[in-house]
Amino acid sequence: MTTDLETISMLRDSLERYTADHYNFLQRARRLDGPAGFDPAIWATYAEQGWLSLRLPEDLGGLEGDAVAVGAVMEVVGARLLMEPLLGSAVLAPGVLLRQGSEGQQAELLSAMAEGRLQVAFADCGLDAPACRYAGETLVGEIPLVLNGDSADLFIVPALDERRQVVFCLVRADAAGVTCKAFRLVDARGAASLSFEGAAVTLLQPEDDAPSAAETLGQVRDEAAVALCAEALGVASSLLRVTNEYLKVRQQFGKPLAANQALQHRMADVYLLVAEIRALTRAMQQAMTLPSDERGRIISGGRAYVVRAARKVGNEAIQLHGGVGVTEELDVSHYFRRLMVNAVLHGDHDAQFSRFVEHSLAD
């Protein structure tokens, strides 16, 4: 851990207080129909509060937050079902730029991102080799799903060059040769599929002492997995809380459902699952400081388990609520849909488990 506990606590508390006042379930519901899928005024407030500077170094006015600090923010993202592109534009894209961008590129882009003037999406598709090809200063390829790609101004796209080496390309959303098809995901967040047909791009130019692009891609993918597990922890913790409250107030045959011993046992199982998700997420956050092979085994195994465990928590929450649990008017269904979407982002369960097996056999 590099970020001190006091800073992490202040970061979490400030975001929790703001979202409690301005982002409850009904306030969030009124923003879902906006053209961007979220409220630009909220995004501007995030910038004013410094939350978009989470990953930036201190000399750029940032917090230089590590995986634990990022996790504190992502837990609130999950608990409040925030719609804004914090994962892509405040966590993953800055991570790529800080490792692979030149001083000029960092100065130009990071400040604009921290001030909320520029939204950047990390356009990657799972754990396989990059799907796009870079040749002759142009980009060719397709990416079927980019979270918040519908509202992004700029994309960071990993690609393979003519030597099949990984490079990172900067692509403007409105550039010639870029086709962006926007759509809404099942949890109502915005996304896009991207097609590049000879699109003119700018390569990130790493400094001499920078890690390789392939190493950076692996590390950023691990950061995505850890951040998504922290978000799943926020979702699962909220589902545990709201389900427990529901069982205490819902009456059947003159008694609250919580008096039913069978339901008590099921809630105990849910509590244990949430505790396991929390323990694995903390272990994954600490593993981000380890060498790539050891880090990869812990993170891919943890991510695969968290996806399954969180899905089980969601299933139990809906079943214990009964038919009302799947309605649009209840937050339980929205939490469940967020878990479904996050489960396939940046490497689904099967891809993560396969990677875990490969690392384990290698050891």
Side-chain angles (χ1 to χ4, degrees), residues 1-2 55 65-68 70-71 91-92 99 215-227 280-292 294-296 298-300 355:
M1 182 186 299
T2 57
R55 297 292 307 277
D66 60 4
V68 180
V70 170
V91 177
L92 303 182
R99 296 182 181 97
E215 290 174 352
T216 295
L217 179 59
Q219 188 156 10
V220 173
R221 284 174 169 177
D222 285 344
E223 289 173 350
V226 176
L280 282 170
T281 299
R282 300 291 182 258
M284 294 164 66
Q285 290 168 348
Q286 299 297 330
M288 285 304 301
T289 61
L290 299 175
S292 59
E294 188 173 355
R295 180 187 75 227
I298 295 172
I299 289 175
S300 56
R355 183 182 181 224

Side-chain angles (χ1 to χ4, degrees), residues 21-52:
D21 293 336
H22 300 91
Y23 222 107
N24 63 37
F25 181 66
L26 294 178
Q27 291 168 325
R28 173 184 179 273
R30 289 194 291 269
R31 299 188 180 105
L32 294 183
D33 295 330
F38 60 89
D39 189 346
I42 297 289
W43 186 249
T45 301
Y46 290 171
E48 293 171 3
Q49 296 295 326
W51 298 322
L52 303 187

